[in-house]
Amino acid sequence: MPSSDTSKSTFALTTPLYYVNDLPHIGSAYTTMAADVIARFERLRGKSVLLITGTDEHGQKIQRTAESNGRSPQSFCDEIAAGFDTLWQKLNIQYDRFSRTTSPRHEAIVKEFFYRVWDKGDIYMGQQKGWYCVSCEEFKEERDLLEGHHCPLHPNKEAEWRDEQNYFFRLSKYQSQLEALYQERSDFIQPESRRNEVLNFVSQGLQDFSISRVNLDWGFPVPVDPKHTIYVWFDALLGYVTALLDPESEPTLENALSKWWPIDLHLIGKDILRFHAVYWPAMMMSAGLPISGRIFGHGFLTKDGKKMGKTLGNTLDPVELVNLYGADAIRYYFLKEIEFGQDGDFNETRFINTVNADLANDLGNLLNRTLTMVKKYCKGVLDCSGEDIGADNPLKSIGEGMGDRVAGAYESLAFSTACNDIFTLIRACNKFIDDQAPWTLYKQNQQQAVEQVLYAVLESVRLAAYLLSPIVPTISSDIYQQLGFSINFNDKNPINDPLLFKSHAVWGTLKAKQAFGDPKPVFAKLNPPASGSS
């Protein structure tokens, strides 16, 4: 069920802070596109939105990767962080803050937060013995390792035996409070399958977790013991808090938490669920802070039905993909074709067929042929309005409740449902034109009937474009401008108006004698690359 508070005037959400051991992959792009859609939807209905993304840059894996490339960790991080930013620009991601865990402002927040938890008595020195996977930045139970102490997530990497003193966070102390949280807020972890995973994990008993490492330079020193370095998760999760600071504000917890906290939604991949749904709220409890709103763990992506990986040579480069096909096509396919929360697959042939059928044929051609008929049969002007269309009109009956239905789908992160609902109306428009045959009505001198048919179709296209704008903002802008509106959905400011949403998310907004633009294709059909499609 939707759980966002529609009465709130602010909405803060985050992607993960992506680990910079390599350039962004399609999974990172997927999460960020979904976050951008939600941010755009909340802005569309007039909320003040803060979309946070960024990079997690500390830890042994980063240090070793940088050294193996003959680089300093900082210069390596700078290059990879810039790669994420470049891809977000290409994908038309309108983030508000880009949080980097190497920033001095972030260190101030981590230090203050550490002292809060330290003063509570929730950090202590202990002995850490066990097999450590550097790639996961995590200790592993021996029973979970493959033969030869290889990590199941990184089977080509052998775990390292560690026997060292570390500082620990008393996670076990918060077991009953966490269980109460999950009980009281059944929508805190979504979807239901992820919630069940967490409940099962927590019910087996929580162990305190290590929050420091020795013999590691790349990270912030533990404030009470500089020989130790703060471990990546205790540092990285606080990057969300640092991002809440206004640029001119002094980096204190009070300043960071003053406007946007608690964050309404954390969007993550399911592989980092435990850190966000167990460690993170326990850390907040220890520091005496309110808990975030929702944590949504989406599924993994495959390519042509197979897991992606460098060893298999079947990775999907998001930069190459967007350069080939454009941002709107990529955004539409991943959000429409995959049920958000489930695992999903990319197949190039299916991708091309889907976006051509929906965006070029059903939507683009519909607008083009209808505007052309308005010019041909009505001298470019329609004298009727929504009030002239009878209640029995099939497009009006589908369109009238659609704004509320689609808004509910966006709130529930059911992007696929939103797209399918919108395209039900678009397909009904194509059938309606064929059934009503305005070219025949025109020959029969039934001018009023011609205009009412064309109005009903154009108004339905307008409503569809408005509701699709969080997903395909550039196509929606082109449609809106051809229909005589000056709205650009890629401009944050003019559309941040709740009254505009109330008047545009309903059927019947086109006015009589609206001045339309010239019909132009809004989406060019995609062709498979010359080398052939996968």
Side-chain angles (χ1 to χ4, degrees):
M1 286 295 293
S3 66
S4 60
D5 180 357
T6 49
S7 65
K8 266 182 71 184
S9 62
T10 59
F11 192 90
L13 74 161
T14 76
T15 72
L17 301 185
Y18 298 110
Y19 208 39
V20 295
N21 59 310
D22 208 344
L23 284 165
H25 52 74
I26 195 67
S28 315
Y30 180 51
T31 323
T32 312
M33 288 187 288
D36 184 64
V37 168
I38 291 298
R40 284 173 180 269
F41 166 69
E42 295 292 355
R43 284 190 204 109
L44 201 63
R45 61 178 181 178
K47 293 197 180 182
S48 183
V49 172
L50 193 78
L51 171 54
I52 294 164
T53 188
T55 42
D56 168 13
E57 303 182 11
H58 286 139
Q60 192 159 47
K61 183 160 62 165
I62 304 299
Q63 186 172 328
R64 287 186 183 178
T65 306
E67 286 165 358
S68 70
N69 284 282
R71 308 279 296 280
S72 74
Q74 188 64 62
S75 76
F76 176 78
C77 289
D78 290 346
E79 182 188 330
I80 302 291
F84 276 90
D85 185 47
T86 299
L87 178 59
W88 301 162
Q89 304 302 330
K90 282 181 177 287
L91 282 169
N92 203 357
I93 307 294
Q94 291 186 336
Y95 67 78
D96 298 288
R97 302 276 165 81
F98 193 99
S99 187
R100 295 186 60 183
T101 59
T102 48
S103 113
R105 286 161 68 78
H106 178 59
E107 182 170 15
I109 293 291
V110 171
K111 193 172 182 180
E112 188 181 346
F113 187 90
F114 180 94
Y115 275 121
R116 270 205 190 196
V117 178
W118 173 264
D119 292 344
K120 190 85 170 280
D122 286 344
I123 295 172
Y124 65 92
M125 175 72 86
Q127 195 72 18
Q128 178 78 67
K129 280 187 188 181
W131 295 100
Y132 184 71
C133 174
V134 173
S135 293
C136 290
E137 299 280 9
E138 189 180 15
F139 281 93
K140 300 286 181 181
E141 297 284 339
E142 186 148 11
R143 64 173 182 264
D144 294 333
L145 293 171
L146 305 175
E147 193 178 340
H149 299 110
H150 285 257
C151 169
L153 296 177
H154 303 93
N156 57 339
K157 302 270 175 74
E158 190 176 341
E160 301 174 4
W161 178 257
R162 299 279 174 91
D163 183 357
E164 61 188 38
Q165 285 197 317
N166 287 168
Y167 285 93
F168 284 78
F169 172 72
R170 296 187 194 276
L171 182 64
S172 57
K173 174 179 167 182
Y174 292 94
Q175 168 132 4
S176 58
Q177 278 175 256
L178 286 167
E179 287 172 332
L181 170 71
Y182 307 145
Q183 205 61 40
E184 288 159 18
R185 286 170 50 186
S186 59
D187 62 350
F188 175 62
I189 304 162
Q190 292 180 334
E192 190 69 19
S193 56
R194 302 284 112 77
R195 181 174 186 268
N196 292 337
E197 281 174 43
V198 171
L199 293 178
N200 182 49
F201 172 74
V202 173
S203 70
Q204 293 173 38
L206 292 175
Q207 307 293 315
D208 296 349
F209 71 92
S210 163
I211 63 163
S212 78
R213 297 288 180 266
V214 288
N215 305 318
L216 172 64
D217 302 326
W218 188 236
F220 299 140
V222 169
V224 296
D225 188 347
K227 295 193 298 295
H228 287 254
T229 299
I230 291 179
Y231 165 58
V232 63
W233 281 105
F234 198 83
D235 157 11
L237 288 163
L238 288 164
Y240 298 136
V241 175
T242 306
L244 302 175
L245 283 163
D246 286 333
E248 65 284 353
S249 295
E250 187 189 344
T252 66
L253 272 177
E254 186 182 1
N255 287 342
L257 302 170
S258 62
K259 179 178 178 183
W260 296 99
W261 190 264
I263 286 164
D264 295 272
L265 175 66
H266 291 294
L267 281 184
I268 57 167
K270 62 183 179 181
D271 53 327
I272 51 174
L273 180 66
R274 186 187 308 174
F275 302 102
H276 287 78
V278 183
Y279 292 15
W280 182 230
M283 287 162 60
M284 293 299 114
M285 289 168 178
S286 174
L289 301 177
I291 310 297
S292 296
R294 278 193 291 171
I295 291 157
F296 194 104
H298 66 72
F300 288 155
L301 299 177
T302 53
K303 185 182 176 201
D304 304 322
K306 294 181 187 142
K307 185 178 175 184
M308 283 183 261
K310 285 183 179 173
T311 46
L312 295 170
N314 70 336
T315 54
L316 195 56
D317 180 354
V319 174
E320 192 181 307
L321 205 59
V322 77
N323 285 344
L324 263 178
Y325 298 120
D328 274 8
I330 309 300
R331 291 165 69 104
Y332 181 75
Y333 176 83
F334 279 103
L335 294 162
K336 187 255 182 180
E337 281 296 294
I338 299 166
E339 186 183 337
F340 199 64
Q342 305 299 313
D343 291 346
D345 186 65
F346 178 86
N347 169 275
E348 197 162 13
T349 303
R350 188 167 66 244
F351 160 72
I352 289 170
N353 290 342
T354 297
V355 295
N356 281 347
D358 291 1
L359 301 180
N361 296 349
D362 286 347
L363 180 60
N365 283 354
L366 174 67
L367 173 68
N368 201 280
R369 72 193 280 220
T370 310
L371 277 179
T372 301
M373 283 190 273
V374 171
K375 285 187 89 168
K376 186 175 178 182
Y377 303 141
C378 313
K379 298 181 181 170
V381 176
L382 297 175
D383 283 331
C384 58
S385 70
E387 292 167 7
D388 301 317
I389 308 299
D392 59 344
N393 183 290
L395 304 186
K396 187 173 186 176
S397 60
I398 295 171
E400 282 195 317
M402 203 168 81
D404 288 340
R405 291 194 305 274
V406 170
Y410 278 130
E411 282 182 26
S412 302
L413 313 188
F415 307 113
S416 184
T417 302
C419 290
N420 286 327
D421 204 336
I422 293 164
F423 272 86
T424 299
L425 178 59
I426 292 301
R427 291 184 187 111
C429 286
N430 281 301
K431 182 176 186 305
F432 182 70
I433 281 193
D434 293 340
D435 290 348
Q436 297 297 313
W439 45 90
T440 303
L441 295 170
Y442 180 72
K443 284 177 189 166
Q444 295 167 347
N445 292 319
Q446 296 190 49
Q447 188 63 24
Q448 188 180 20
V450 171
E451 294 200 12
Q452 288 182 357
V453 169
L454 298 179
Y455 176 91
V457 172
L458 287 182
E459 171 55 14
S460 298
V461 171
R462 181 210 61 77
L463 177 61
Y466 191 78
L467 296 173
L468 274 174
S469 67
I471 296 175
V472 288
T474 303
I475 290 172
S476 291
S477 297
D478 288 348
I479 291 171
Y480 244 58
Q481 280 151 31
Q482 283 184 45
L483 291 176
F485 295 94
S486 58
I487 291 173
N488 177 354
F489 293 105
N490 285 314
D491 186 343
K492 284 187 193 180
N493 299 316
I495 58 172
N496 188 4
D497 177 355
L499 296 177
L500 193 69
F501 182 79
K502 282 178 181 164
S503 64
H504 280 251
V506 294
W507 201 92
T509 294
L510 271 182
K511 301 283 186 283
K513 301 191 187 315
Q514 179 96 347
F516 299 124
D518 291 328
K520 290 192 279 270
V522 293
F523 185 79
K525 272 195 165 183
L526 303 181
N527 295 308
S531 58
S533 61
S534 352

